[in-house]
Amino acid sequence: MKTCLVVDDSSVVRKIARRILEGLEFEVTEAEDGSKALEICQRKLPDAVLLDWNMPVMDGFEFMGHMRRLPGGDEPKVVFCTTENNVAHIAQALSGGANEYIMKPFDKDIIADKFAEVGLIPVGQAMV
Amino acid sequence: MTPTEYEYLRKFLKDNSGLDLSADKQYLIESRLLPLARKAGLSGIAELVQKLQGGARQLITDVVEAMTTNETFFFRDKVPFDHFRDHIMPEIIKARAGRRSVRIWCAAGSTGQEPYSLAMSLKEMGAALTGWRVEIIATDLSQEVLEKAKAGIYSQFEVQRGLPIQMLMKYFKQTGETWQINPELRAMIQHRQLNLLHDFAQLGTFDVIFCRNVLIYFDQETKINIFNRLARQIEPDGFLVLGAAETVVGLTDTFRPIPERRGLYKPNDPRTAAAKPVLAGAAPRMAVMAGR
Ligand SMILES: C[S@@+](CC[C@H](N)C(=O)[O-])C[C@H]1O[C@@H](n2cnc3c(N)ncnc32)[C@H](O)[C@@H]1O
């Protein structure tokens, strides 16, 4: 089973994301900010990170920078999932090492499409 | 809705758009046509049927369009677009190296995601198509979806279905809550209203025909009729691309599936070269491809 770390300061968003990702057969862990997420990654890197941008303590962009510098840290697919829905933020995320980008609000179809796009799930699975 | 009204509407839709409804789709008709009837100031389905029988032209169009399913995404099902990039276009580029032109038809292009996905794929091929004349013709029955396709403006939700984020950044411009595809890509596509039930010989012949997720709505006889006419519009070495739930197998031998390439078909009988009608107002050479 693939693993996905959901990083978002809203417990509601984490819960929705968890339900969708478990439906796509991911084992899900949660973190409420970037620094908690980094602790988790230092113990074990997930296959995927669904990452909010604005969070207290450490934001998503900063977290990604730290995570990418961990041994093996270039492996996890990072999919941003944020209300920052403008070109400048998207460009910054991509050049900082993000693999995909979801503009909130999201639903199951968008997550499935984006995860299929970066090869985390087979394309067919996004269709159901 | 009375059984007579239902039967009338079933036949009406089959005759006008090919839509083949089974005997138990009353709910579908009501959910789509009641709001339309109300908006037209009619009391309900009964009065709507009367008006249709009376030949109310705008209403006929509206009813036909309201019953179409326009759902579509960018790079829908992904695989056909991988085939387009890795198999179809390399073959065409080889075969047409002399005349350096390619004609592509999206036979039910809906709101434009499919033709624009093809346009983006072609742009990504860069130098391989420098100096080529590339024509993409997108047709649909519904005027409403064509208008949207022409404008090339999509909601945040729509641009997140099937479109890789790099492509969004590269080929779209954000305006407020919406995203518009670049003028360069819009200029690659000609949009036209066309009912597949009617004659389409005037479009000329094509190297590639995408006809996806529209034949599923038709009965066998209509599918066969359309396949046979599509066969006349395709180059002997051209490609037909169908939707995931569609096939020619068991319906016609004018096309054959390409083994190992799901959704791809080749025409069977190499026709004797016939004079090809050429579409008026053909696209200019694709200067945009030059120098890449
Ligand atoms: C489900 S969409 C498919 C769009 C796109 N090809 C795709 O696969 O994503 C079907 C489209 O077929 C169009 N359509 C339905 N009947 C048609 C007909 N008789 N002639 C031409 N287009 C038709 C509808 O208007 C609709 O836009």
Side-chain angles (χ1 to χ4, degrees):
Chain A
M1 219 184 201
K2 286 195 175 160
T3 53
C4 183
L5 172 60
V6 175
V7 193
D8 200 302
D9 58 347
S10 152
S11 60
V12 177
V13 171
R14 291 201 305 272
K15 202 163 154 192
I16 296 168
R18 170 186 282 277
R19 203 177 308 138
I20 292 171
L21 288 163
E22 285 178 349
L24 296 169
E25 288 171 1
F26 279 86
E27 192 183 312
V28 176
T29 47
E30 297 178 24
E32 66 195 49
D33 63 55
S35 85
K36 293 235 167 63
L38 193 58
E39 279 170 30
I40 292 173
C41 288
Q42 280 159 345
R43 287 200 296 274
K44 192 175 186 302
L45 286 164
D47 297 302
V49 184
L50 189 73
L51 185 59
D52 190 15
W53 196 303
N54 291 311
M55 290 175 290
V57 191
M58 183 193 289
D59 72 24
F61 188 77
E62 192 186 342
F63 156 80
M64 179 170 68
H66 291 302
M67 189 209 70
R68 287 294 189 214
R69 283 191 293 276
L70 293 174
D74 50 348
E75 286 288 315
K77 304 287 187 201
V78 174
V79 179
F80 263 93
C81 185
T82 167
T83 48
E84 299 296 347
N85 56 7
N86 56 69
V87 170
H89 275 88
I90 300 173
Q92 187 187 342
L94 292 177
S95 61
N99 300 90
E100 259 297 345
Y101 201 102
I102 293 171
M103 297 174 270
K104 284 175 179 168
F106 62 93
D107 64 5
K108 177 180 180 290
D109 290 336
I110 291 178
I111 296 219
D113 271 14
K114 294 292 187 179
F115 273 52
E117 192 51 49
V118 295
L120 283 164
I121 57 172
V123 173
Q125 208 170 329
M127 307 281 86
V128 287
Chain B
M1 176 177 6
T2 66
T4 325
E5 283 158 6
Y6 184 64
E7 275 318 307
Y8 175 82
L9 286 169
R10 256 178 85 181
K11 180 159 188 313
F12 170 87
L13 290 165
K14 189 160 178 297
D15 291 346
N16 282 281
S17 73
L19 180 64
D20 181 37
L21 289 178
S22 52
D24 58 352
K25 289 285 184 333
Q26 285 86 349
Y27 71 93
L28 183 67
I29 293 216
E30 280 178 354
S31 69
R32 303 238 186 133
L33 296 190
L34 271 178
L36 191 152
R38 299 266 148 75
K39 240 172 74 191
L42 305 172
S43 59
I45 299 290
E47 200 180 348
L48 183 79
V49 167
Q50 271 172 27
K51 292 269 182 225
L52 293 177
Q53 285 165 335
R57 286 189 60 203
Q58 186 56 47
L59 204 60
I60 290 175
T61 309
D62 290 349
V63 166
V64 168
E65 294 204 5
M67 291 304 298
T68 59
T69 300
N70 307 119
E71 189 181 38
T72 182
F73 326 114
F74 289 103
F75 297 98
R76 182 174 192 170
D77 301 344
K78 202 157 186 293
V79 177
F81 295 91
D82 292 346
H83 287 330
F84 179 71
R85 180 193 58 208
D86 301 332
H87 182 71
I88 297 180
M89 282 311 292
E91 276 207 11
I92 301 266
I93 287 173
K94 232 189 295 162
R96 308 278 181 274
R99 69 168 203 237
R100 299 223 277 178
S101 72
V102 54
R103 298 191 79 224
I104 300 167
W105 178 21
C106 258
S110 188
T111 40
Q113 281 90 331
E114 187 174 82
Y116 286 130
S117 298
L118 292 171
M120 284 185 271
S121 299
L122 291 165
K123 285 293 276 179
E124 292 287 305
M125 289 169 204
L129 287 171
T130 302
W132 280 60
R133 179 218 280 277
V134 177
E135 272 183 83
I136 304 174
I137 305 199
T139 61
D140 201 282
L141 169 74
S142 158
Q143 197 60 48
E144 195 181 329
V145 298
L146 279 176
E147 291 308 321
K148 175 159 172 151
K150 263 184 224 168
I153 298 174
Y154 299 97
S155 69
Q156 180 170 299
F157 183 79
E158 289 166 326
V159 297
Q160 300 205 82
R161 295 303 315 280
L163 186 66
I165 193 73
Q166 286 84 359
M167 295 249 188
L168 178 67
M169 295 295 280
K170 209 163 153 185
Y171 297 118
F172 289 76
K173 185 170 175 281
Q174 186 175 27
T175 37
E177 294 283 282
T178 61
W179 297 78
Q180 183 171 35
I181 195 142
N182 291 343
E184 229 178 81
L185 277 99
R186 293 215 304 280
M188 288 171 71
I189 299 171
Q190 299 175 54
H191 304 270
R192 304 185 155 206
Q193 203 269 340
L194 181 103
N195 188 339
L196 288 169
L197 301 186
H198 301 162
D199 183 30
F200 44 65
Q202 79 283 0
L203 291 180
T205 52
F206 293 90
D207 303 297
V208 185
I209 300 177
F210 270 63
C211 184
R212 303 175 64 222
N213 303 302
V214 60
L215 299 179
I216 29 168
Y217 301 106
F218 303 161
D219 68 4
Q220 285 223 3
E221 196 189 327
T222 311
K223 283 182 203 171
I224 293 168
N225 174 281
I226 293 174
F227 280 134
N228 292 344
R229 288 186 296 123
L230 286 176
R232 283 180 228 139
Q233 305 312 126
I234 198 159
E235 296 285 347
D237 59 351
F239 294 87
L240 172 69
V241 184
L242 299 180
E246 295 158 337
T247 181
V248 302
V249 175
L251 294 176
T252 173
D253 53 11
T254 49
F255 291 95
R256 62 172 187 281
I258 304 181
E260 313 293 317
R261 299 197 195 271
R262 212 171 134 216
L264 257 58
Y265 300 81
K266 283 240 148 209
N268 255 332
D269 301 329
R271 300 150 308 149
T272 44
K276 291 182 259 176
V278 177
L279 193 69
R285 288 214 174 245
M286 233 171 50
V288 289
M289 294 283 184
R292 280 197 49 178

